[in-house]
Amino acid sequence: MLGAGGVVGQAYQAGVLAALEREAGWDPRRADAVVGTSAGSVTGTALRVGVPATDLAASLYGAPTSRRGGALLRRILPGDAGPLPAPSVLSLLRPWNLPSPALVARTLRRPLAFRPDVAAMTLLPRGRVDISDRAAGLDRLIGERWPEGLRLCAVRRTDGERVVFGDPGAPPARLAAAVLASCAIPGYFCPVAVDGTEYVDGGVHSATNADVLTRAELDVVVVVSSLSAAHGNANGADGLVRRAVHRRMRREITRLEEAGTAVISLEPGASSRRAMGLRAMAEDRSPAVIEAAYEETRRRIVATPFLASLGEPLPAASAG
């Protein structure tokens, strides 16, 4: 499970996954399923098309990559798109949308499931930053193919319903469009149309969406949550958000555990949070974030035998 978190969140994921690959001997590309939300959709897609976690980290750090991993990254990542414009609070002062008939109907149909925070995101002014060109390379490489086991979370703009592209029953989508939809922050990026329906960032529903795998019958799920805080302990300007994301993640993890799945959650500690700062789209912070995330994860691996054993083969079932 790879959660939301912007550019610094993607750097955090790269540092964590690189440590799991090098220190625990576990290659995240071998996971039976990969679920990505927003920044996590970019990371998860890169893994699923064959980019090693260490190359993801090296690329964001500005260090050399392997030949094959570097070649894949050059094909799927925008090399000359330039930095994204900073989000502006002024953009939220434009006229907001009225509740759509679909949102009203969904609320009346399932009133106990109504979430004011999600509903508010559907009312935000339409984002103006077009990110469609940033997935052009991925679309040329993958086209209509869909990597096995990849699920990408987005939210339908009209009614706030979560849609998991790659799931059976989900609308068919080109991979590039699904990644863009999962990343389309409301009020900032333009919504992304898939088969005539507009979608926005999957983090609107949940920053982690860990409960997507509740019925997958997996032995172990690893949740990398960039927007929360280790143990829910966070102060400062972003403390309220990080604690709220942690609480929601814990509820999702409880559902997984009740379904018989062991869960390992990896969240930013104090050093990673300091490196990440308060600007989610700050591209200049990636090296420091990767270093902090790698070191925190390395220490966690040393202190957690179960996590250290991720790279070992599962024991064979005993004969009955």
Side-chain angles (χ1 to χ4, degrees):
M1 313 295 307
L2 300 166
V7 173
V8 295
Q10 191 178 350
Y12 176 77
Q13 293 164 7
V16 168
L17 295 173
L20 291 175
E21 183 178 322
R22 284 186 173 172
E23 307 293 338
W26 178 64
D27 186 345
R29 295 175 298 176
R30 291 168 36 208
D32 292 333
V34 174
V35 177
T37 299
S38 197
S41 71
V42 179
T43 303
T45 296
L47 292 172
R48 231 44 182 175
V49 301
V51 179
T54 47
D55 280 340
L56 282 175
S59 175
L60 292 172
Y61 196 91
T65 62
S66 71
R67 178 177 296 181
R68 183 173 185 276
L72 282 170
L73 284 168
R74 285 191 294 274
R75 293 186 68 181
I76 65 176
L77 296 181
D80 55 356
L84 290 164
S88 171
V89 175
L90 295 178
S91 66
L92 300 181
L93 300 180
R94 293 179 284 123
W96 286 41
N97 303 309
L98 294 173
S100 69
L103 176 62
V104 173
R106 182 184 174 212
T107 302
L108 293 175
R109 187 172 63 250
R110 299 169 56 199
L112 296 180
F114 177 74
R115 288 177 52 191
D117 55 335
V118 174
M121 292 296 102
T122 70
L123 307 181
L124 285 175
R126 187 183 186 86
R128 291 179 171 178
V129 178
D130 186 356
I131 57 173
S132 57
D133 60 333
R134 293 177 178 263
L138 175 64
D139 197 51
R140 286 192 295 269
L141 176 66
I142 299 298
E144 296 184 357
R145 292 181 289 131
W146 190 275
E148 183 179 356
L150 179 64
R151 296 172 173 87
L152 303 180
C153 300
V155 165
R156 200 159 52 216
R157 183 169 180 253
T158 53
D159 62 358
E161 180 78 17
R162 178 175 67 186
V163 173
V164 184
F165 293 110
D167 253 1
R174 293 173 75 91
L175 179 60
V179 172
L180 291 172
S182 185
C183 294
I185 302 171
Y188 178 31
F189 295 143
C190 296
V192 174
V194 176
D195 196 25
T197 299
E198 289 189 336
Y199 296 89
V200 293
D201 197 308
V204 167
H205 179 86
S206 166
T208 48
N209 288 296
D211 56 338
V212 165
L213 294 177
T214 300
R215 299 181 181 178
E217 298 182 348
L218 298 172
D219 296 305
V220 181
V221 166
V222 178
V223 180
V224 184
S225 176
S226 308
L227 275 179
S228 59
H231 314 297
N233 298 328
N235 298 311
D238 61 345
L240 184 64
V241 171
R242 289 191 176 278
R243 290 193 297 273
V245 172
H246 175 84
R247 288 193 297 270
R248 182 163 191 87
M249 181 195 71
R250 288 305 316 172
R251 290 196 295 271
E252 295 168 353
I253 286 175
T254 297
R255 297 189 195 114
L256 282 166
E257 292 173 336
E258 289 174 346
T261 299
V263 181
I264 299 169
S265 59
L266 297 165
E267 307 168 84
S271 60
S272 285
R273 296 197 300 274
R274 283 194 299 270
M276 295 168 86
L278 298 177
R279 294 186 297 119
M281 309 308 288
E283 298 182 357
D284 60 325
R285 290 182 171 268
S286 292
V289 173
I290 289 169
E291 288 181 0
Y294 189 101
E295 179 58 20
E296 286 180 353
T297 307
R298 185 193 67 79
R299 292 178 181 174
R300 179 81 179 275
I301 291 168
V302 170
T304 312
F306 182 61
L307 185 55
S309 69
L310 269 181
E312 300 175 4
L314 291 172
S318 58

